């Protein structure tokens, strides 16, 4: 039984100022805060960042704030930024992050490597005319890539994205999207590109959860499965079926699992746990709340706990409360609305650290993060 | 708002963008309309026959029309002349909608430090004319405040107005395509199946390794 | 007691070259820029005047007047301020070949002062009378116009006027703020895009800034609610 310590830090606004040692794998999950962000120390002071969310100032990427708080210089230490899919809620602040990380390569789904999608992004940017639009994140990244004279590293199933052979051997692979999904995404984007007859809306990016990038990181002999928002489909050539069925994927089982799509049933399958993960892995997730949809549900928690007792969430979202207050604004909102709730902007933080050599594990829970149990 | 009648003669003719100093509007006097409508026999209908190129000259007339009787019209007032005092303004984006209600994310524009909210609006709260504008991604403004009518009656009001922006022009799509083509040219032929090797020591040198 | 203005107006004025006859309410309805029925018949239009030389119509939310060189949209309804911007922006996105060389983002405020002393205090503060004694008998401020440079990269100026109000009597004060922009090169300017993009970016800032200016002039400091 490996030594483990779970420490719950209550009411801490800042984590301990202690960067991980060179031999320590760290996986830090932040969210919700308009999405989620995974910050990984892959050993030897190399950092990788998956997706982005912002703090309650609505501007500062949580990843950036954390790295600077623990004394890590993002401009040199971050080697890769991966955008798993271009959903509004997963990329807030990613352009800011990329600009701050001068040495980082940028990676995103091969499904976006199409002129029609890039055109759609610029059209959406022109159409947006609102501060709440997220389409400018993508175009801002494209602009920064242009200024650096860089191209993204396009992620497609079983392609390595990053590698280090000096010191602790580390490598990151994309496990999705599949070739089939990449082809289909191109077609669906093309069909969307019709001058909008109803011009008041933002044009959202095409629904490409199926094009999301699941990745597998191996640091020494410890693996981390990063589930993004990949969901299941009926096709064997898409979703988790394609990942599990791939003959060319690396066959390591992961010790740590960033749970796909907030633990929803549509993104889970028994084969993930039996084929891709170790026994009793450490599972970490961010919750989600939109309208009447809250994830993970009670059933989701039960299902996750049937696979592992170590399920951690970055936040327990408060149930939707009645609008309080006696002033005219509150009265009007009570009269006009059926429901209303605030969106928490202070991301919770689950931090997992494992010493590659000694296997000592430390799990720290910050800003409302909790162990999820039945 | 009334027109302020100036008794001073301005030093120069200044056409301003100020609204409160709008110039009095000069219109044709009714007599001029009658002259314009009437024609003599053999008269050329076109203006090209005017000898001095003065467009104000009606063919057949010897001298330009005179605007002898300027009419000053008061400007149309938006009605009614009450006052809406804004207590709270949200910018909303529709997340989802059905036949009964819509869910929207609300950004507090009155106090931008406040957290965003998500809310469910019954469709009855939306003006009939705006309901066709409801769809995922649609943007609206939600004002909460007091309306004081011209007679002094005060009511508390909630007004939801959807943004009405023009349809995308071919020009916008064309420019977006050109940008995309430019970007694709930069991206294409860069990597193929290779990936970036982290073992390289010079970060400025992109060394790709075959997968 | 400090109060908010009793009357307010926001307006967008373009100077350029226009064909007034285009701006019939039906044109706006056809482009879904104003509420209309399923047959695209505009709703809620008050008296309409559409001639080759001038168009003038109003709804409960705004009024529009267009002449050959001037396009002016106005509203006294604060809940229409954002929509006013959209209406102006959308109109000249569609008619983007219309040459517009100047733009004014304007606010007008009419305050009622609590008493005659407070009313006079404004005039005393803005135009001290010591310089006029001996020149005029009982001098009083009739109209003040101040112009300042822009502090951004745009071409133009900001002009503020202060005068007794014609709308609020007695003890009314009118403050007008003209946030004026011009195209950088009128010779090369071919349409409306330069100025409507400024409108999109600057409208909210402009109307809020004008409110603060007016409050500071009237009360000597910004009023916080």
């Amino acid at each position: 039984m490996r030594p483990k310590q779970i420490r719950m830090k209550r009411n801490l606004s800042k984590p301990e100022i202690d960067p991980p040692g060179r031999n320590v794998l760290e996986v830090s999950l932040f969210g919700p805060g308009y999405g989620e962000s995974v910050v990984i120390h892959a050993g030897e002071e190399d950092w990788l960042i998956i997706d982005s969310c912002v703090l309650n100032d609505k501007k500062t990427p949580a990843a950036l704030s954390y790295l600077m708080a623990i004394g890590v210089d993002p401009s040199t230490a971050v080697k890769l930024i991966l955008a798993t899919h271009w959903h509004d809620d997963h990329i807030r602040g990613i352009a800011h992050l990329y600009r701050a990380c001068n040495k980082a390569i940028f990676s995103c789904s091969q499904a976006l490597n199409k002129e029609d999608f890039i055109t759609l992004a610029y059209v959406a940017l022109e159409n947006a005319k609102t501060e709440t639009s997220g389409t400018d994140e993508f175009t801002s990244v494209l602009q920064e890539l242009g200024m650096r004279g860089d191209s993204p590293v396009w992620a497609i199933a079983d392609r390595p994205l990053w590698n280090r052979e000096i010191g602790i051997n580390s490598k990151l692979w994309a496990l999705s999207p599949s070739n089939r999904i990449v082809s289909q995404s191109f077609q669906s984007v093309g069909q969307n590109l019709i001058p909008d007859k109803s011009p008041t809306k933002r044009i959202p990016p095409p629904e490409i959860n199926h094009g999301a990038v699941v990745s597998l990181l191996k640091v020494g002999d410890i693996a981390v499965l990063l589930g993004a928002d990949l969901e299941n489909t009926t096709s064997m050539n898409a979703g988790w079926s394609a990942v599990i069925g791939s003959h060319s994927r690396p066959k390591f089982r992961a010790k740590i699992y960033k749970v796909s799509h907030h633990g929803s049933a549509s993104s889970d399958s028994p084969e993930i746990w039996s084929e891709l993960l170790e026994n009793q892995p450490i599972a970490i997730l961010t919750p989600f709340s939109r309208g009447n949809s809250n994830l993970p549900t009670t059933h989701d928690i039960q299902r996750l706990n049937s696979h592992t007792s170590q399920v951690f969430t970055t936040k327990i979202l408060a149930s939707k409360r009645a609008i309080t207050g006696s002033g005219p604004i509150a009265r009007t909102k009570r009269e006009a609305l059926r429901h209303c709730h605030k969106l928490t902007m202070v991301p919770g933080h689950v931090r997992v650290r494992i010493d590659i050599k000694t296997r000592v594990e430390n799990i720290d829970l910050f800003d409302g993060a909790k162990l999820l149990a039945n | 708002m009334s027109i302020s009648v100036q008794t001073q003669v301005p030093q120069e003719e200044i056409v301003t963008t100020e609204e409160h100093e709008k110039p009095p509007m000069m219109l044709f006097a009714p007599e001029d309309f009658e002259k314009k409508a009437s024609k003599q026999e053999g008269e050329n209908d076109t203006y090209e026959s005017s000898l001095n190129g003065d467009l104000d000259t009606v063919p057949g007339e010897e001298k330009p029309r005179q605007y002898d009787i300027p009419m000053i019209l008061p400007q149309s007032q938006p009605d009614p002349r009450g006052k809406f005092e804004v207590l709270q303004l949200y910018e909303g984006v529709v997340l989802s909608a059905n036949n009964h209600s819509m869910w929207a994310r609300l950004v507090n524009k009155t106090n931008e430090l406040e957290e965003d909210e998500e809310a469910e609006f019954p469709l009855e709260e939306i003006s009939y004319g705006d309901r066709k504008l409801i769809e995922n991604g649609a943007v609206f403004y939600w004002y909460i405040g007091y309306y004081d009518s011209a007679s002094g009656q005060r009511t508390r009001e909630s007004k939801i107005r959807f943004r009405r922006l023009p349809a995308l022009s071919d020009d916008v799509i064309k420019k977006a395509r050109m940008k995309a083509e430019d970007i694709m040219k930069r991206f294409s032929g860069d990597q193929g199946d290779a990936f970036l090797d982290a073992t390289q020591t010079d970060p400025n040198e992109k060394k790709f390794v075959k997968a | 007691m400090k109060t908010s203005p009793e009357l307010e107006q926001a307006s967008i004025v373009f100077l350029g070259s226009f064909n007034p006859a285009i701006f019939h309410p039906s044109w706006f309805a056809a482009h879904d820029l104003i509420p209309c029925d399923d047959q695209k018949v505009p709703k809620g239009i008050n008296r309409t005047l559409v001639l080759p030389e001038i168009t003038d119509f109003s709804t409960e939310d705004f009024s529009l007047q267009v002449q050959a060189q001037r396009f002016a949209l106005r509203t006294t309804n604060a809940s229409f301020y954002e929509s006013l911007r959209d209406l102006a922006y959308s109109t000249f996105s569609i008619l983007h070949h219309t040459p517009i060389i100047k733009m004014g983002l304007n606010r007008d405020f009419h305050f009622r002062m609590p008493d005659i002393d407070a009313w006079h205090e404004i005039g005393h503060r803005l135009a001290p009378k010591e310089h006029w004694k001996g020149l005029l008998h009982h001098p009083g401020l009739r109209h003040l116009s101040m112009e300042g440079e822009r502090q951004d990269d745009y071409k133009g100026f900001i002009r503020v006027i202060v005068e007794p109000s014609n709308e609020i009597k007695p003890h009314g004060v009118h403050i007008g703020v003209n946030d004026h922009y011009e195209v950088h090169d009128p010779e090369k300017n071919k349409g409306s895009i330069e100025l409507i993009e400024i409108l999109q970016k600057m409208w909210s800032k402009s109307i809020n800034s004008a409110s603060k200016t007016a409050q500071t002039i009237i009360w000597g400091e910004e009023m916080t609610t």
Side-chain angles (χ1 to χ4, degrees):
Chain A
M1 183 95 163
R2 299 191 184 94
K4 180 188 307 201
Q5 193 173 51
I6 300 176
R7 299 179 294 198
M8 194 169 304
K9 312 283 183 181
R10 294 187 187 276
N11 300 319
L12 263 188
S13 59
K14 290 181 183 175
E16 292 166 349
I17 312 297
D18 58 338
R22 292 182 76 94
N23 296 330
V24 173
L25 163 67
E26 173 181 322
V27 179
S28 267
L29 176 63
F30 296 89
Y34 279 123
E36 60 186 34
S37 183
V38 189
V39 182
I40 300 173
H41 179 244
E44 311 293 353
E45 297 177 356
D46 285 338
W47 290 83
L48 316 176
I49 301 176
I50 320 291
D51 291 332
S52 178
C53 64
V54 294
L55 300 178
N56 55 348
D57 65 359
K58 300 187 193 179
K59 281 186 297 195
T60 308
L64 213 55
S65 174
Y66 173 65
L67 289 175
M68 287 163 66
I70 60 170
V72 173
D73 181 1
S75 67
T76 54
V78 177
K79 299 300 190 289
L80 173 137
I81 296 172
L82 169 63
T84 63
H85 61 301
W86 223 275
H87 226 216
D88 232 5
D89 285 357
H90 279 251
I91 54 162
R92 286 295 175 104
I94 205 164
H96 181 174
L97 189 61
Y98 182 48
R99 279 192 295 271
C101 300
N102 299 336
K103 300 288 189 271
I105 57 170
F106 188 85
S107 181
C108 59
S109 172
Q110 175 80 51
L112 306 181
N113 183 18
K114 197 67 183 170
E115 189 177 302
D116 276 348
F117 180 78
I118 297 174
T119 305
L120 187 64
Y122 277 105
V123 166
L125 181 68
E126 176 62 30
N127 191 60
K129 307 295 179 208
T130 167
E131 290 175 24
T132 57
S133 163
T135 48
D136 57 341
E137 293 279 4
F138 184 54
T139 51
S140 295
V141 167
L142 291 176
Q143 187 179 9
E144 182 67 18
L145 282 164
M147 283 170 55
R148 295 191 195 184
D150 249 343
S151 305
V153 174
W154 300 109
I156 192 167
D158 307 334
R159 172 181 284 176
L161 301 179
W162 175 84
N163 180 52
R164 185 190 62 234
E165 289 174 359
I166 297 172
I168 299 172
N169 201 321
S170 299
K171 199 164 179 178
L172 177 76
W173 292 263
L175 300 186
S176 67
S178 64
N179 276 313
R180 170 70 62 88
I181 287 300
V182 167
S183 308
Q184 286 175 353
S185 295
F186 292 169
Q187 288 161 14
S188 68
V189 165
Q191 285 156 15
N192 276 339
L193 201 62
I194 298 166
D196 195 358
K197 297 288 188 289
S198 305
T200 56
K201 69 175 186 182
R202 295 180 309 157
I203 297 176
E207 285 297 325
I208 46 172
N209 270 10
H210 300 323
V213 181
V214 169
S215 53
L216 181 71
L217 172 70
K218 194 152 181 299
V219 180
D221 59 358
I222 302 177
V224 183
L225 178 64
L226 300 148
D229 265 10
L230 192 68
E231 294 184 79
N232 283 321
T233 73
T234 51
S235 165
M236 294 302 295
N237 295 312
W240 280 107
S241 303
V243 172
I244 293 160
S246 168
H247 297 297
S248 50
R249 68 170 167 87
K251 296 289 193 279
F252 311 108
R253 287 172 180 266
K255 167 72 185 164
I256 302 170
Y257 174 37
K258 203 296 289 182
V259 180
S260 181
H261 199 241
H262 316 287
S264 69
S266 63
S267 64
D268 197 10
S269 75
E271 286 79 20
I272 294 175
W273 302 90
S274 62
E275 304 289 325
L276 304 181
L277 298 172
E278 287 185 11
N279 189 33
Q280 290 285 320
I282 300 168
I284 56 178
L285 60 84
T286 60
F288 175 82
S289 177
R290 173 168 290 178
N292 285 325
S293 173
N294 293 322
L295 296 171
T297 64
T298 312
H299 290 305
D300 292 334
I301 297 170
Q302 283 172 357
R303 190 185 68 252
L304 292 169
N305 279 147
S306 72
H307 295 295
T308 175
S309 58
Q310 302 183 95
V311 183
F312 298 93
T313 179
T314 56
K315 200 79 107 176
I316 301 284
L317 293 181
S319 55
K320 297 178 173 59
R321 295 197 188 105
I323 300 164
T324 55
S326 59
I329 298 169
R331 286 202 302 277
T332 307
K333 287 168 80 171
R334 274 196 292 273
E335 290 161 14
L337 304 174
R338 288 209 181 114
H339 296 108
C340 183
H341 62 270
K342 285 191 188 290
L343 294 173
T344 176
M345 294 302 285
V346 178
H349 176 195
V350 175
R351 184 171 75 182
V352 180
R353 285 182 175 176
I354 303 177
D355 190 301
I356 305 292
K357 292 185 176 164
T358 65
R359 291 306 182 119
V360 169
E361 298 174 8
N362 277 308
I363 300 174
D364 294 308
L365 306 174
F366 303 100
D367 292 322
K370 289 249 185 333
L371 174 71
L372 266 184
N374 281 333
Chain B
M1 310 290 168
S2 64
I3 299 168
S4 58
V5 179
Q6 296 182 359
T7 53
Q8 284 181 322
V9 176
Q11 284 187 326
E12 54 182 274
E13 189 72 27
I14 299 172
V15 183
T16 75
T17 59
E18 291 165 287
E19 179 58 4
H20 46 263
E21 280 190 35
K22 47 195 178 300
M25 301 175 319
M26 310 291 279
L27 284 188
F28 304 114
E31 297 78 31
D32 295 299
F33 281 109
E34 289 170 16
K35 280 183 192 169
K36 189 176 172 181
S38 69
K39 289 177 192 173
Q40 295 174 7
E41 269 191 356
E43 189 179 314
N44 192 327
D45 277 341
T46 70
Y47 283 87
E48 287 168 12
S49 61
S50 68
L51 297 173
N52 58 6
D54 181 0
L55 290 176
D56 280 335
T57 305
V58 176
E61 282 196 338
E62 291 183 358
K63 55 183 176 181
R65 289 175 291 177
Q66 299 293 325
Y67 303 145
D68 294 324
I69 310 173
M71 285 161 44
I72 299 177
L73 288 179
Q75 194 157 46
S76 293
Q77 302 285 351
D79 289 321
R81 286 188 61 206
K83 187 196 164 193
F84 187 88
E85 180 188 340
V86 179
L87 298 176
Q88 177 65 51
L89 169 61
Y90 289 105
E91 182 183 276
V93 178
V94 176
L95 300 173
S96 62
N98 55 34
N99 290 336
H100 309 291
S101 65
M102 70 173 192
W103 274 95
R105 177 172 294 153
L106 303 174
V107 176
N108 191 326
K109 302 299 279 184
T110 305
N111 182 356
E112 304 216 359
L113 296 177
E114 280 289 314
E115 292 161 313
D116 295 352
E117 298 172 72
E118 281 187 3
E120 184 183 6
F121 292 80
L123 282 195
E124 302 88 75
E125 294 293 316
I126 314 297
S127 313
Y128 246 144
D130 277 3
R131 288 190 196 174
K132 63 185 175 193
L133 303 175
I134 298 174
E135 54 187 342
N136 288 3
V139 180
F140 62 91
Y141 290 106
W142 183 27
Y143 294 86
I144 297 173
Y146 285 116
Y147 177 74
D148 294 315
S149 72
S151 63
Q153 178 67 49
R154 167 165 276 208
T155 47
R156 181 164 43 87
E157 294 195 352
S158 157
K159 286 183 183 275
I160 295 171
R161 296 185 192 274
F162 274 76
R163 291 197 81 178
R164 291 170 180 266
L165 292 172
L168 292 170
S169 65
D170 289 340
D171 200 43
V172 164
I173 296 176
K174 189 176 156 193
K175 280 182 184 161
R177 258 208 195 282
M178 282 170 59
K179 271 188 194 154
E181 273 173 23
D182 191 45
I183 287 168
M184 290 302 294
K185 274 182 198 155
R186 272 195 285 118
F187 288 171
S188 64
D190 211 3
Q191 299 159 39
D193 290 331
F195 67 97
L196 195 69
D197 187 355
T199 58
Q200 66 201 26
T201 51
D202 181 356
N204 294 318
E205 188 189 324
K206 299 281 184 261
K207 179 184 165 193
F208 286 91
V209 176
K210 280 289 184 183
Chain C
M1 185 183 79
K2 292 180 182 175
T3 56
S4 53
E6 203 164 291
L7 288 174
E8 284 184 52
Q9 173 182 271
S11 61
I12 298 170
V13 176
F14 292 125
L15 301 185
S17 178
F18 308 99
N19 180 356
I22 286 176
F23 300 98
H24 194 285
S26 303
W27 181 88
F28 291 94
H31 289 279
D32 265 323
L33 300 184
I34 59 175
C36 57
D37 62 22
D38 292 336
Q39 279 71 47
K40 300 284 187 188
V41 174
K43 291 163 102 171
I45 305 295
N46 301 324
R47 55 174 244 199
T48 304
L49 176 71
V50 179
L51 296 173
E53 296 81 15
I54 185 165
T55 284
D56 191 313
F57 72 86
S58 67
T59 72
E60 66 174 3
D61 289 321
F62 71 91
S63 67
L64 171 66
Q65 189 186 83
V66 188
Q67 296 163 274
Q69 291 183 310
R70 195 167 186 274
F71 175 101
L73 263 175
R74 292 192 308 147
T75 184
T76 55
N77 185 349
S79 74
F80 198 75
Y81 285 174
E82 304 293 330
S83 301
L84 196 80
R85 171 210 52 213
D86 288 347
L87 185 56
Y89 178 87
S90 301
T91 299
F92 292 104
S93 287
I94 296 167
L95 301 172
H96 56 93
H97 293 302
T98 305
I100 300 177
I101 55 169
K102 294 181 186 179
M103 173 175 74
L105 308 183
N106 307 310
R107 293 294 306 278
D108 287 276
F109 306 88
H110 292 257
F111 290 86
R112 186 185 297 277
M113 303 310 291
D115 50 51
I116 194 163
D117 290 332
W119 189 65
H120 280 307
E121 190 275 335
I122 293 172
H124 293 330
R125 179 162 34 91
L126 297 176
K129 302 303 182 293
E130 290 70 37
H131 307 296
W132 298 97
K133 286 177 183 167
L135 298 174
L136 293 175
H137 183 61
H138 283 156
L141 177 63
R142 180 66 185 87
H143 174 90
L144 175 71
S145 178
M146 296 292 292
E147 184 175 302
E149 292 177 354
R150 301 203 63 84
Q151 290 183 292
D152 46 40
D153 294 330
Y154 300 119
K155 193 174 169 188
F157 52 78
I158 296 179
R159 189 179 287 162
V160 180
I161 67 155
V162 184
E163 60 188 6
S165 170
N166 288 328
E167 302 292 328
I168 308 284
K169 287 176 179 160
H171 314 143
V173 179
H174 169 219
I175 296 180
V177 181
N178 169 221
D179 188 6
H180 176 93
Y181 299 83
E182 298 182 15
V183 294
H184 271 96
D185 190 342
E187 298 295 316
K188 288 186 182 162
N189 183 61
K190 287 201 164 66
S192 57
I193 298 299
E194 184 179 341
L195 286 174
I196 64 170
E197 290 301 327
I198 295 172
L199 167 67
Q200 188 70 243
K201 284 189 191 125
M202 299 300 288
W203 175 249
S204 294
K205 187 178 171 191
S206 179
I207 57 173
N208 291 333
S209 172
S211 285
K212 289 176 190 162
T213 298
Q215 283 168 21
T216 305
I217 289 171
I218 289 289
W219 307 117
E221 63 188 22
E222 195 178 322
M223 190 173 82
T224 50
T225 52

